[in-house]
Amino acid sequence: MKKTALLIYDSFCNFEISVALEILALKNKEIVVFAKSKEAIKSEEGLKILAEKTIFDLDLNEYDSLLLPGAVDIESAVEDPQIIEFVKKFEDKVIGAISIAPILLVKAGLLRGKAFMAGVNKADLLEEGFLEEDLVQMQDWEACINNPEKEAFIVSGKIITSVAYNFVEFGLQFAKMLGLEISPKSFGK
């Protein structure tokens, strides 16, 4: 069975990917934690995590998926060309991005022309220099709050995006996209 790559970066949010990780573990699907370096990375919750591999140690043939957690501040990851190149390598794989993490996919050009949701407001991204044409089909934080998606996530091809408060549904759907079924009741749904 191929593995899932988990990319972590400063202030990543652990709870947003907790259900996805638990399902992968229950189904014995190997998860490999990647980061730009092997130095400890502190999560939003204060956990210090050491990556198993750096983004430069990727053998893409070993992986069928990428999981991207949100973060309190993802700007340094979004502005890092080496991280964006790592993300681009998963273009033909299943990708799960939650909260603000879909912005990594926007920056990598993987959401061009695709519907997605993200835990950030479109106006803020436009102010930071993102292009309107890249955000046309974006359901931003305000839209998610005021007019939530019935499914709690958006699937566009092999990419699933969602916002933080839908982390259970996001995790269940990410696993389903990998062919891993589990009862939603296991997670209170």
Side-chain angles (χ1 to χ4, degrees), residues 106-122:
V106 171
K107 187 76 173 198
L110 300 181
L111 287 174
R112 193 165 291 126
K114 295 179 180 175
F116 68 98
M117 66 171 61
V120 62
N121 287 322
K122 185 189 265 189

Side-chain angles (χ1 to χ4, degrees), residues 67-90:
L67 188 57
L68 300 169
V72 172
D73 181 3
I74 202 166
E75 185 176 2
S76 62
V78 169
E79 296 303 322
D80 188 318
Q82 294 171 320
I83 288 177
I84 298 306
E85 279 305 309
F86 176 85
V87 170
K88 281 182 183 179
K89 291 176 181 176
F90 287 86

Side-chain angles (χ1 to χ4, degrees), residues 4 10 12 30 40 45 49 54 58 66-67 82 89 96 98 100 112 133 141 146 165 169 176 179 185 188:
T4 294
D10 287 330
F12 77 94
E30 189 174 346
E45 301 86 358
I49 307 294
T54 72
L58 175 67
L66 172 64
L67 188 57
Q82 294 171 320
K89 291 176 181 176
I98 191 164
I100 199 166
R112 193 165 291 126
E133 62 210 38
W141 179 251
N146 297 327
Y165 60 82
E169 295 89 342
K176 186 175 183 179
K185 290 181 180 181

Side-chain angles (χ1 to χ4, degrees), residues 123-154:
D124 295 337
L125 293 175
L126 293 171
E127 283 180 19
E128 291 181 24
F130 284 85
L131 302 175
E132 175 72 40
E133 62 210 38
D134 291 333
L135 307 176
V136 171
Q137 295 189 57
M138 175 184 180
Q139 184 171 356
D140 69 0
W141 179 251
E142 226 171 88
C144 289
I145 295 294
N146 297 327
N147 190 21
E149 283 287 324
K150 179 182 173 190
E151 296 279 332
F153 52 80
I154 295 175

